[in-house]
Amino acid sequence: QPDLAAILRQHYDAANKGDVAAALATFTADTFYVGGSLCPPQAPCISAAAIQRELERAKREQVTFTVSTIQVSSDTVTALLERRAIPVRNIGFERVIDKATVTFRGDRISRIVRELDLTDPQTAVFANFRRVEIPQGDLRRAVEDGNVVAAMAFLTDGAVFEGWGLC
């Protein structure tokens, strides 16, 4: 059995260094990824190209993770991650805590779901701020990145979209 906790740490070490290729190499070809603004729950990343775009966005925004608590159960690892990033600091927060649930196939990550840990008071305040203020920014980033699936996840069937491009 591979050391899944070590592989998870290897993934985040590569991501923290901005080594997109090394971080991407920790995934299976068909990884299901939820986390970050380009891979929200409404439009998870399910291709290597989509995950690469998310990793490159994280590199630009200087996202770093400190892995704390890790629990391994069979092929699944649950970890708490302290996340620091330019967008987090820009809205007045030093850090937030994410809970990552990571499933492995052999020695590669096949599924990762990262969500805010609302048991942390600062993260709960951050989550409320995001709920109220951030969706329009995430929509803008999805449009700018050409991620149609993520952009459409923010809109209802009867949405009126005006002010950008041809609209």
Side-chain angles (χ1 to χ4, degrees):
Q1 177 74 5
D3 184 348
L4 303 182
I7 295 167
L8 184 66
R9 288 184 188 282
Q10 174 189 353
H11 167 76
Y12 284 111
D13 286 346
N16 289 345
K17 292 175 186 170
D19 189 343
V20 172
L24 198 56
T26 62
F27 292 115
T28 61
D30 60 345
T31 296
F32 178 93
Y33 183 89
V34 172
S37 59
L38 299 181
C39 304
Q42 310 92 326
C45 292
I46 55 173
S47 71
I51 294 169
Q52 182 175 348
R53 282 191 300 273
E54 173 59 28
L55 291 170
E56 289 168 349
R57 180 211 53 85
K59 179 180 176 180
R60 284 189 310 273
E61 295 180 358
Q62 299 175 11
V63 178
T64 61
F65 295 93
T66 302
V67 180
S68 60
T69 308
I70 292 182
Q71 295 177 335
V72 179
S73 176
S74 185
D75 65 348
T76 302
V77 175
T78 304
L80 291 180
L81 311 168
E82 183 177 277
R83 177 170 39 111
R84 297 173 186 271
I86 290 172
V88 173
R89 286 190 303 273
N90 284 350
I91 58 175
F93 295 89
E94 182 62 27
R95 56 92 182 130
V96 295
I97 304 295
D98 291 332
K99 179 181 177 184
T101 304
V102 184
T103 306
F104 286 81
R105 189 177 316 125
D107 64 349
R108 298 281 185 259
I109 297 168
S110 64
R111 178 181 178 89
I112 184 166
V113 177
R114 209 179 73 234
E115 57 192 347
L116 293 172
D117 178 8
L118 301 180
T119 64
D120 174 66
Q122 180 172 314
T123 303
V125 172
F126 173 82
N128 189 52
F129 179 84
R130 280 189 53 87
R131 182 184 62 78
V132 174
E133 297 293 330
I134 299 302
Q136 60 189 309
D138 287 346
L139 170 60
R140 180 185 44 76
R141 273 192 296 284
V143 169
E144 289 171 353
D145 289 341
N147 188 340
V148 174
V149 174
M152 294 305 295
F154 290 101
L155 305 173
T156 64
D157 287 341
V160 175
F161 193 72
E162 58 185 63
W164 289 339
L166 299 174
C167 300

